[in-house]
Amino acid sequence: MNKELAELEKYVILSSNEDAKRKHAYAYFTKLFGKGFKTESDAAGADGYIEGKLLVELKSKNEDWLSGLYQGLHYRKLGLTSPHVTVISKHFIGLWNLNKLPKKCLQLADEARFAD
């Protein structure tokens, strides 16, 4: 698991954009969850998803963590059920338990529309 943690650390440290470095994050979650870890088209477009456990959103820039959280919350509308959302970006890893988020956050996410 040390190798996969080192890969996740690369995602957090590298300045590359999300597409160029997502393999580093995927290595960690694949090791942790095996075939249960789904990505992209197998996860309704989410960067990562483990049914009933976790939704993963990857961002390139540190300041995009909040948009990543709300993006993660939007996937509930597409049927991805998860009690937790994690956002990983440059120098940032956040993990939220949806039951602990303020109700207003969930309400805003539920009322927002997807961008076309």
Side-chain angles (χ1 to χ4, degrees):
M1 185 58 120
N2 288 337
K3 178 183 171 190
E4 290 78 21
L5 278 173
E7 288 295 310
L8 184 61
E9 183 179 22
K10 283 180 188 176
Y11 187 95
V12 174
I13 292 172
L14 292 173
S15 295
S16 309
N17 80 13
E18 173 187 334
D19 293 337
K21 62 182 183 173
R22 76 177 65 235
K23 65 183 175 212
H24 301 298
Y26 285 177
Y28 175 77
F29 290 106
T30 299
K31 177 71 174 185
L32 215 61
F33 297 103
K35 293 180 182 178
F37 179 62
K38 306 213 180 312
T39 62
E40 304 293 328
S41 59
D42 290 335
D47 291 320
Y49 176 65
I50 303 94
E51 186 174 353
K53 296 183 182 188
L54 181 67
L55 188 126
V56 178
E57 268 310 305
L58 302 173
K59 295 294 176 193
S60 299
K61 300 176 190 168
N62 174 279
E63 60 267 18
D64 290 339
W65 70 267
L66 184 58
S67 65
L69 172 59
Y70 277 100
Q71 186 177 352
L73 294 174
H74 276 284
Y75 287 108
R76 295 179 310 144
K77 293 180 181 181
L78 299 176
L80 299 186
T81 57
S82 169
H84 302 95
V85 172
T86 190
V87 176
I88 304 172
S89 66
K90 183 159 176 66
H91 298 143
F92 181 85
I93 297 176
L95 175 63
W96 291 270
N97 179 336
L98 301 189
N99 290 331
K100 305 267 183 185
L101 283 176
K103 291 187 190 292
K104 186 66 176 175
C105 286
L106 298 173
Q107 181 184 355
L108 286 170
D110 289 342
E111 292 172 358
R113 295 177 46 184
F114 281 104
D116 292 333

